[in-house]
Amino acid sequence: MAAAEVADTQLMLGVGLIEKDTNGEVLWVWCYPSTTATLRNLLLRKCCLTDENKLLHPFVFGQYRRTWFYITTIEVPDSSILKKVTHFSIVLTAKDFNPEKYAAFTRILCRMYLKHGSPVKMMESYIAVLTKGICQSEENGSFLSKDFDARKAYLAGSIKGLCLPWCGTDRTGPSFTLTCTSTPMSWKPCRCAQVTSLDL
């Protein structure tokens, strides 16, 4: 494996699963490796499953204390094997900014969880991307980490320009959140969670 590929795979910090059950409870179900309680609580708020009045945002990303988080949330169809779950979110944390890359990867993880109903297959794919930079997608070939150039992610838009009008101060630390509004991806500040100061 080339040095650039090794460096690229070492950017991911963790993966997590949040579920909303048929009783309306939102639970942090699983993660690898473990995460702090502070980050876990922040991600539970940012996934937009905890408030009934909020819109469901399919993809949200942001930064908290120099850790980027990427959250893909989907509604569970009635035909799924996840009978007691109405919605779930896959959370990836990473050191780098690359929304397109992590949106694609979390969509693959979502499809795996919908199909198998267990985080085991998700974990296998996460470890494959973490160690080799590639995982096989059951529907459309494979996910190649090196196909997503970080420089193109920065060229897609000005994060600072988008966030500064909404920035404020929060005692929990610097963070901000953006949500995908269309395909191809364009970004706008997410109003589903408290937006605080920008940390670049």
Side-chain angles (χ1 to χ4, degrees), residues 16-18 47 49 56-61 69-75 87-92 99 102-111 185:
L17 174 65
I18 301 169
C47 76
L49 293 178
L56 181 68
H57 296 288
F59 183 68
V60 175
F61 70 94
F69 58 86
Y70 303 90
I71 305 171
T72 297
T73 303
I74 64 168
E75 186 173 357
H87 300 80
F88 69 86
S89 297
I90 301 293
V91 179
L92 278 176
Y102 294 114
F105 187 42
T106 54
R107 282 192 304 268
I108 289 170
L109 296 178
C110 283
R111 286 193 295 269
M185 292 187 176

Side-chain angles (χ1 to χ4, degrees), residues 88-157:
F88 69 86
S89 297
I90 301 293
V91 179
L92 278 176
T93 54
K95 296 177 187 175
D96 65 326
F97 170 77
N98 202 328
E100 288 79 11
K101 171 183 170 181
Y102 294 114
F105 187 42
T106 54
R107 282 192 304 268
I108 289 170
L109 296 178
C110 283
R111 286 193 295 269
M112 287 181 177
Y113 189 61
L114 267 178
K115 182 176 181 179
H116 299 286
S118 168
V120 173
K121 288 288 185 185
M122 289 186 341
M123 180 68 177
E124 290 173 2
S125 294
Y126 176 79
I127 295 292
V129 171
L130 188 65
T131 57
K132 300 175 190 170
I134 186 172
C135 78
Q136 297 300 318
S137 171
E138 296 175 6
E139 285 138 15
N140 43 343
S142 59
F143 171 84
L144 227 61
S145 188
K146 69 178 183 177
D147 286 346
F148 298 91
D149 188 350
R151 295 172 296 179
K152 289 182 182 176
Y154 286 110
L155 290 174

